[in-house]
Amino acid sequence: MGHGVPELVLELNGQTWTLDPSRSYTLGRDPQGDMVLEDARVSWRHATVRWGGHSWVIEDQGSTNGTYVQGQRIHHMEIGPGSAVHLGNATDGPVLHLSAAAAAAPAADLYNAQTAMAAPQQHQAYQTPVQQPGHDWAAQQHQAQQPQHQQQAAWQQPQAQQHQQQAYVPQQQAAPAAQPQQPTGGGAAGAAPVHGDRSPTSFHQMAVGRVMRIGRALDNELVVSDLQVSRHHAEFRATSDGRFEIVDLGSHNGTYVNGQPVSRQIIGPHDTVGVGHSTFRLVGDRLEEFVDTGDVSFSARHLTVTVDGGKQILKDVSFGVPEKSLIAVIGPSGSGKSTLLKALTGYRPANQGDVLYDNRNLYKQFAELRQRIGLVPQDDILHKELTVRKALRYAAKLRFPGDTAPAEREARIDEVLRELKLDIHKDKKVTALSGGQRKRVSVALELLTKPSLIFLDEPTSGLDPGMDRDVMQLLRGLADDGRTVLVVTHSVAELALCDKLLVMAPGGSVAYFGPPEEALNFFGYETWADVFSAFENYRDYDWAGRWKGSQHYQMYAADIDAVAPQSVHVQPQSPPKAQSWGSQLWTLMRRYASVIASDRGFMGLMLVLPAVLGGVSCVIPSDYGLGAPDPRHFNQDAGTIMLILAVGMCFSGAANSVRELIKERVIYERERAVGLSRSAYLMSKVIVLGLITALQGVIISAIGFSIRKMPKEGVILKNLPAVELCLVIIALGFTSMMIGLVISSLVKTAEKTMPLLVMFAIVQVVFTGIMFKIYDSPGVEQVAWLMPSRWAIGAAAATLDLSHIMAPMDKSNHDNLDPLWTHSAAQWGIDVVVLLALGVICGIAVARLLRRHEPEVMRK
């Protein structure tokens, strides 16, 4: 021992060593470590013990399950004789006993003891590989007969790389002082360690009677440079009993305690307060701040998804990824890749298991953590009719607080455009960009809010090999710049750019997780085509069992898999809206109007369609037009003309909206997840499309009525019967437009909307009451009450007095006795009110149907 250094003896599993202060000792499951523990709760490189200059210290190396002294999780702590350290579990994990006794095995015997302990594990790890389906068994026998050192060379990584290979180990910094960390738990949602128990970014002293305001503005006591934080966001206040509370100041993105949005709440030492990308924890009278800059770990534990009938489409999926890394997920069709992505992002939480964002449960704290996760679906999440800059500008208006200055938003947009090399394309329409460039714009939209974790679903689908490489290189750059990126892909050409590879087997289980360069060797095939063929040909083979029995599993997934998922289920609250309802509505209306104005073809069709439909009605010859005939004759043409105009308006109104929701479904899903108001989105459609439909109603009426004789007076507007009829046509167009939205929210593809649109128009012809008698027809009359054309023709008939000017449908009566046709102001009002009420009911139905395309936590 060195001069003045107290002797320290370490006892572990019956072995004892006298430690040499000139070197450090590693503890973990790594066979090449100094002290090897064959316990699944212990990480590959779990902790180190060394002489710190003044005392012996133990340092946790970012282990998954932690290092504990006296029941408290520690990161860096001084130890000495009499200390007991638990690894992996605070109560029953392997124990290191430290003493000053001199009768111990010399330090020179450490290597021999280590080798004796590691040998059984190595022998087991490098045994003959299991037989693989479709693989040449003779070749396997030949491989099994190779010398052991050659097999080790094929499986074992150099020691210098082993720490990097631990996908689940976050890179942590040493704490500045030896201080036990607070235990996890506490709070309503069970607060988890903040940022993996990293050292705080900064400290702020709290004082009794002092108010500490947090916000983006420079006049706050605690300034947070984050565009997701309001100018004056929240306040820490001291209460009369010496405690502290957090008070939200009406912020746009919300203030969170243990992941749940709050307006005012007392906070304790186990609570975490979230404001934008910053998290705060109260320790005594000091406020510790942790800024999320991308140094986060991410793991999935025992994810299982069960659908109706009890079928599991995702089976016990566990893996972990380190910070600032690129992970690819591949697998054949039916392997659960899309289901896994929805489970990892919180869109469709798994029935069993947990997703941990830096040791914080994503499902329980989705309201807060959603702001730190970006998702780029397979379809572009932007309006292709807009320019790149305008698309990003509207996205920024929706995602950033309402008090964000235009200059701040533009600066962030320019920053993202430069980072993704899109600044030269900023004034081009999205439709004019290549597939790879459009994908860059989708990524740019997500980067506006600086997420630490980005998911992408099939970003290279439909791209040529060159664009495929460009997109994967883009993702590699995003990871190198400080983000964790997970990409689901069918392309295997650029997997070498990834840090880790997750291979899903048919049925939704894990077949492999680890470095991509070792994957083919693991499966025993030369190409990925062979691997996927084996998946298809041997669907009943236990691929997951083969994976869990491999050395790769022990190296890259055993730590995560060994931890049981949390069983406490807290009902998450819906995240607050990023802006006020009115502000969102105005932004959405402006964006939608810009999209329509940019689509000249759609604008032309909206004007031509009503003109043509109105012109068709002019073809019908009529001596009396829409007026009263000679007392000796009936005016049958009046009903026919109104029939054509009504059906034309039904078709025109529904055609305006029948594709609007389905074509924006992916955009809506993503924006809803980041705080978009469902009602504001729907109302923006109703208002903009309603104005367009009203204009079309005016065009149809102006053309259809211009050459016709009109009745002398109406029942509501005595001197303006044409205007009265025009109001009926507009009301019919509005309700038809709402039915078009219902169709658009029901279908799964845009191609299905046209047949339903034609069917809707034809059905309206039948139930107008013009072609045959509807009233006093049991069953038929009741069905007709659901048809907007029935009530519209009723209101028009009330204005024109069709009960008397049309030939009676019942020959036993001189007049048509349809009650909806009564020539009175009261009946006209009833017909129009019911017509509009049908539209309102359709709007409520659309709002309910939109819930199906939202994250479950948003469905309220």
Side-chain angles (χ1 to χ4, degrees), residues 10-205:
L10 184 148
E11 180 182 353
L12 173 64
N13 290 341
Q15 298 283 341
T16 57
W17 301 274
T18 302
L19 303 188
D20 182 358
S22 65
R23 54 164 298 189
S24 62
Y25 298 85
T26 61
L27 298 84
R29 294 199 337 270
D30 183 358
Q32 297 187 10
D34 298 304
M35 305 171 194
V36 182
L37 294 86
E38 298 185 39
D39 190 305
R41 294 169 296 181
V42 177
S43 295
W44 191 257
R45 295 173 64 91
H46 194 102
T48 59
V49 177
R50 62 180 177 83
W51 174 251
H54 300 286
S55 63
W56 289 94
V57 296
I58 186 169
E59 294 179 342
D60 186 274
Q61 295 298 308
S63 64
T64 301
N65 298 320
T67 303
Y68 300 86
V69 173
Q70 296 182 349
Q72 302 293 319
R73 184 167 184 169
I74 60 98
H75 179 79
H76 177 286
M77 188 174 184
E78 296 182 357
I79 55 176
S83 299
V85 181
H86 289 260
L87 304 178
N89 189 284
T91 56
D92 60 354
V95 186
L96 304 179
H97 293 286
L98 306 173
S99 66
D109 293 338
L110 180 60
Y111 175 79
N112 296 329
Q114 168 209 331
T115 304
M117 295 176 65
Q121 179 177 346
Q122 291 180 353
H123 177 73
Q124 181 180 2
Y126 304 122
Q127 61 187 338
T128 303
V130 297
Q131 183 175 2
Q132 304 170 29
H135 195 56
D136 188 348
W137 179 240
Q140 288 195 26
Q141 292 287 353
H142 174 72
Q143 180 181 0
Q145 295 170 4
Q146 293 178 350
Q148 184 179 13
H149 72 275
Q150 293 184 13
Q151 294 186 36
Q152 291 181 3
W155 290 95
Q156 189 172 359
Q157 295 297 310
Q159 182 176 5
Q161 299 178 1
Q162 288 181 358
H163 179 69
Q164 180 182 355
Q165 292 170 354
Q166 300 316 299
Y168 51 84
V169 179
Q171 303 292 328
Q172 299 185 351
Q173 300 175 1
Q179 176 178 316
Q181 302 295 331
Q182 297 291 347
T184 60
V194 181
H195 285 274
D197 279 344
R198 288 184 177 85
S199 299
T201 306
S202 58
F203 303 91
H204 309 277
Q205 195 66 34

Side-chain angles (χ1 to χ4, degrees), residues 747-770:
V747 298
K748 294 184 178 180
T749 61
E751 290 75 15
K752 296 180 180 179
T753 58
M754 289 299 105
L756 293 174
L757 174 62
V758 174
M759 181 183 71
F760 165 72
I762 292 176
V763 169
Q764 299 311 304
V765 175
V766 175
F767 289 97
T768 56
I770 295 292

Side-chain angles (χ1 to χ4, degrees), residues 677-801:
S677 167
R678 182 194 309 131
S679 58
Y681 175 79
L682 178 57
M683 191 56 64
S684 70
K685 297 292 185 185
V686 172
I687 293 175
V688 175
L689 290 175
L691 292 175
I692 293 173
T693 303
L695 175 61
Q696 291 177 327
V698 171
I699 294 174
I700 287 180
S701 300
I703 296 176
F705 301 152
S706 61
I707 64 172
R708 305 296 185 184
K709 294 179 181 179
M710 300 301 295
K712 294 181 180 179
E713 62 180 22
V715 294
I716 298 294
L717 303 174
K718 295 297 184 181
N719 300 323
L720 299 171
V723 175
E724 190 173 299
L725 289 173
C726 181
L727 292 177
V728 174
I729 294 296
I730 292 175
L732 175 61
F734 169 79
T735 300
S736 299
M737 178 201 74
M738 298 303 297
I739 292 177
L741 289 177
V742 172
I743 295 174
S744 189
S745 63
L746 282 172
V747 298
K748 294 184 178 180
T749 61
E751 290 75 15
K752 296 180 180 179
T753 58
M754 289 299 105
L756 293 174
L757 174 62
V758 174
M759 181 183 71
F760 165 72
I762 292 176
V763 169
Q764 299 311 304
V765 175
V766 175
F767 289 97
T768 56
I770 295 292
M771 299 180 66
F772 61 95
K773 189 180 75 168
I774 295 292
Y775 64 94
D776 285 341
S777 298
V780 176
E781 183 176 15
Q782 285 69 39
V783 173
W785 290 344
L786 303 176
M787 305 299 165
S789 62
R790 169 72 169 144
W791 298 96
I793 289 296
T799 298
L800 300 174
D801 195 15

Side-chain angles (χ1 to χ4, degrees), residues 302-360:
H302 305 282
L303 298 183
T304 299
V305 175
T306 306
V307 296
D308 296 337
K311 180 181 179 182
Q312 290 185 344
I313 57 177
L314 203 66
K315 299 179 182 178
D316 196 27
V317 174
S318 297
F319 67 95
V321 297
E323 58 199 38
K324 301 179 182 180
S325 59
L326 175 60
I327 301 92
V329 180
I330 65 172
S333 299
S335 59
K337 299 188 300 298
S338 297
T339 302
L340 175 62
L341 188 65
K342 292 179 180 179
L344 294 177
T345 56
Y347 271 55
R348 201 289 190 193
N351 301 101
Q352 300 175 21
D354 297 311
V355 176
L356 301 183
Y357 177 99
D358 219 18
N359 293 331
R360 303 178 66 184

